[in-house]
Amino acid sequence: VARVVELEIRRNAPIPTWFGVGGGADRLVEVREEEVVRHVLEADARARVLGDGANLLVDDDGVGEIVLAMKSLRRVEWLEDGRVVVQAGADLGGLVSQAVRRGLGGIEGLAGIPATIGGAVRMNAGGTWGQIADVVEQVHGYARDGSPVSFAREQIPFGYRRSGLEEIVITRVELRLSPGNPDQLRARMRHVMEIKKGQQPLAAPSAGCCYKNPVVSRDLADERGEIGKAGQRIPAGLLIDRCGLKGLRVGKAVVSERHANFLIPEKGATARDLISLMEEVEARVFMRLGVRLEREVVVWSRHVGY
Ligand SMILES: Cc1cc2nc3c(=O)[nH]c(=O)nc-3n(C[C@H](O)[C@H](O)[C@H](O)COP(=O)(O)OP(=O)(O)OC[C@H]3O[C@@H](n4cnc5c(N)ncnc54)[C@H](O)[C@@H]3O)c2cc1C
């Protein structure tokens, strides 16, 4: 029996992001059931996917493609054996706390990373204390032509801050967690949060780290001494800092004094200020150290080149 799926299309809708700047969507669909994704992709294969907007910068004049807003797709089903089936829009932080409460470990090291599960899998979110790829068993979603796809863990080319799933709209993920002591898991979660609070400007709007930490192809040093060795992954923040760029400003966007890989919009900043600041940082790091920084932040724009 054919079922009619109603699309709630909003016009000129704002796109909420953690940067708190930038334009909106000409058309935005609130996804409340997985099927909606297929219908939208059949209408516009270039539809864009919005999670929590924690790694996203939208240009000031917004975007023309339909935006699939995923945060209402948030069912979480806890299975008996440590597995959990999570819809893509569910909040990662909420899932981490729930898992800890249930005595399930494996994601407590992701505490403090703002994300939907779909966004976290797509970016392979993580850091010093693990990455989401460590616990992913299955990913379900739709290909660009609207056909349903499922991938087992071994089929997904997870890497550092990447999943290889860039062309897939993720709708549901199965994770496998392992039994642990809730008190110990909670202590680990708090420890991670404390360290982050000490290192990162978490009170200011940002998208977290703006750049991936690059692997450099030759030994790097400057007048202050060694920066890193060939083949090592070096913190992008260290490279930006060693180029003297903390506090660098374009318009109302500024490189954080606290952590050089955080770009911060001050009151009144535009998305263009941030994009221009990124271009400036990239150019200077390349000129000074010969390293091409790769953006971790995703930029949406209607203009050529983005
Ligand atoms: C204060 C702060 C701290 C942060 N710390 C960390 C950190 O420690 N480690 C880390 O890895 N990241 C960190 N980030 C970045 C961010 O949290 C992650 O990249 C996160 O995975 C983004 O998820 P999201 O749901 O917000 O995705 P969005 O920002 O909404 O989208 C990011 C990209 O994923 C795509 N996407 C989103 N949902 C889906 C889906 N369902 N299917 C397919 N594609 C999708 C979008 O199209 C876009 O290309 C931080 C960000 C902030 C603001």
Side-chain angles (χ1 to χ4, degrees):
V1 184
R3 207 160 56 88
V4 179
V5 173
E6 277 201 33
L7 296 187
E8 291 173 48
I9 301 182
R10 281 197 285 142
R11 300 202 177 263
N12 301 319
I15 300 178
T17 67
W18 279 65
F19 270 128
V21 302
D26 292 356
R27 293 161 302 156
L28 180 143
V29 172
E30 197 64 51
V31 179
R32 297 187 196 280
E33 43 184 328
E34 293 177 26
E35 276 273 279
V36 167
V37 172
R38 178 165 65 79
H39 287 272
V40 168
L41 287 172
E42 282 169 1
D44 182 354
R46 296 173 314 146
R48 295 180 185 261
V49 196
L50 174 67
D52 200 28
N55 199 41
L56 188 62
L57 177 62
V58 183
D59 208 347
D60 296 301
D61 52 0
V63 290
E65 301 83 4
I66 297 188
V67 170
L68 289 158
M70 303 299 283
K71 281 176 79 175
S72 300
L73 198 64
R74 52 170 184 240
R75 212 173 48 233
V76 177
E77 200 185 337
W78 299 89
L79 306 180
E80 289 298 305
D81 52 354
R83 282 180 306 141
V84 52
V85 181
V86 193
Q87 283 188 314
D91 178 57
L92 175 65
L95 192 77
V96 169
S97 323
Q98 278 226 40
V100 165
R101 210 170 307 135
R102 287 166 180 265
L104 290 171
I107 50 173
E108 68 284 355
L110 305 181
I113 301 180
T116 59
I117 293 296
V121 170
R122 145 74 206 259
M123 300 302 303
N124 188 12
T128 314
W129 300 277
Q131 51 186 18
I132 191 107
D134 300 341
V135 294
V136 170
E137 284 260 303
Q138 291 271 342
V139 172
H140 305 278
Y142 292 92
R144 288 281 150 189
D145 62 359
S147 55
V149 289
S150 294
F151 300 101
R153 157 76 234 223
E154 321 71 80
Q155 296 172 299
I156 305 172
F158 280 119
Y160 164 74
R161 296 296 83 78
R162 72 179 296 275
S163 61
L165 297 171
E166 289 71 23
E167 292 303 313
I168 302 299
V169 180
I170 300 165
T171 54
R172 194 168 11 109
V173 176
E174 191 179 309
L175 309 178
R176 180 177 291 278
L177 306 177
S178 39
N181 173 303
D183 291 336
Q184 282 174 2
L185 294 172
R186 192 168 298 111
R188 198 164 119 89
M189 185 172 94
R190 295 216 170 113
H191 170 73
V192 170
M193 300 279 274
E194 280 308 307
I195 293 188
K196 288 198 166 185
K197 263 189 229 150
Q199 289 175 347
Q200 302 178 354
L202 296 181
S206 78
C209 287
C210 189
Y211 295 102
K212 297 186 180 189
N213 296 330
V215 176
V216 294
S217 54
R218 58 185 178 81
D219 294 353
L220 284 184
D222 62 10
E223 61 287 348
R224 283 155 68 187
E226 183 183 285
I227 303 176
K229 290 221 177 312
Q232 272 181 350
R233 198 174 283 290
I234 310 215
L238 176 67
L239 299 174
I240 297 169
D241 186 16
R242 291 292 268 264
C243 292
L245 303 181
K246 277 187 173 171
L248 179 72
R249 159 187 300 279
V250 173
K252 298 265 184 207
V254 60
V255 177
S256 168
E257 292 278 1
R258 185 111 177 259
H259 189 313
N261 201 359
F262 279 59
L263 269 47
I264 309 282
E266 292 179 344
K267 201 160 178 287
T270 61
R272 270 289 138 189
D273 289 343
L274 281 160
I275 292 171
S276 305
L277 181 61
M278 284 183 208
E279 289 170 349
E280 191 63 31
V281 166
E282 290 151 25
R284 293 203 196 188
V285 169
F286 182 64
M287 282 189 293
R288 183 83 188 262
L289 298 172
V291 177
R292 282 195 197 282
L293 290 176
E294 187 190 341
R295 288 180 195 170
E296 183 173 317
V297 167
V298 175
V299 180
W300 286 359
S301 173
R302 18 181 135 229
H303 303 286
V304 182
Y306 280 97

